[in-house]
Amino acid sequence: MPARRAARLLPLLLAGCGAIAQLKGYDGRWTGMLKPEAGTCQPSHATLTVGGRAFSFAPDDGVLVLHGTIAPDDTLHAVLPLLGPNHTPFPLTLDGRLSRTGFTGLYTTPKCRAEVTLSPAG
């Protein structure tokens, strides 16, 4: 009997998590710049799209998109595991923290590390 009760409560708890993200005002688009800190990358534009607790991040506003979920402490982590030359791992990684006023974090690849600063898109 307790398992059935838990199974009925799970959808309510998950819906509550999504409602919390909406109450914090995270849903929408966040845009800004990638500022190189190390490696061979160039400054570029980036977009973060948030819906509920899920997000997608498009570095260089390009076709490569990292996906993840927002942790309860409002941190974000995503990895896009790509293969580079000679089939060597070439992961793209995003780590940072989201607030109502912006996102700050770090975008890394094997060739580049860039500071990410994003603001809510108008």
Side-chain angles (χ1 to χ4, degrees), residues 20-64:
I20 289 169
Q22 290 173 350
L23 289 174
K24 289 183 177 183
Y26 293 159
D27 284 359
R29 287 186 36 213
W30 306 75
T31 61
M33 296 301 296
L34 298 177
K35 298 175 190 163
E37 290 185 341
T40 59
C41 52
Q42 299 294 317
S44 62
H45 196 266
T47 300
L48 177 74
T49 305
V50 178
R53 297 305 282 182
F55 72 88
S56 61
F57 176 72
D60 301 324
D61 282 341
V63 297
L64 299 176

Side-chain angles (χ1 to χ4, degrees), residues 38-113:
T40 59
C41 52
Q42 299 294 317
S44 62
H45 196 266
T47 300
L48 177 74
T49 305
V50 178
R53 297 305 282 182
F55 72 88
S56 61
F57 176 72
D60 301 324
D61 282 341
V63 297
L64 299 176
V65 179
L66 291 76
H67 297 277
T69 57
I70 302 171
D73 64 354
D74 300 327
T75 57
L76 280 66
H77 174 76
V79 176
L80 181 59
L82 301 176
L83 291 177
N86 300 321
H87 299 283
T88 57
F90 196 91
L92 310 180
T93 305
L94 175 72
D95 289 291
R97 181 172 298 280
L98 184 62
S99 73
R100 284 187 201 183
T101 58
F103 172 83
T104 56
L106 195 61
Y107 170 67
T108 57
T109 76
K111 292 185 176 183
C112 170
R113 183 176 72 234

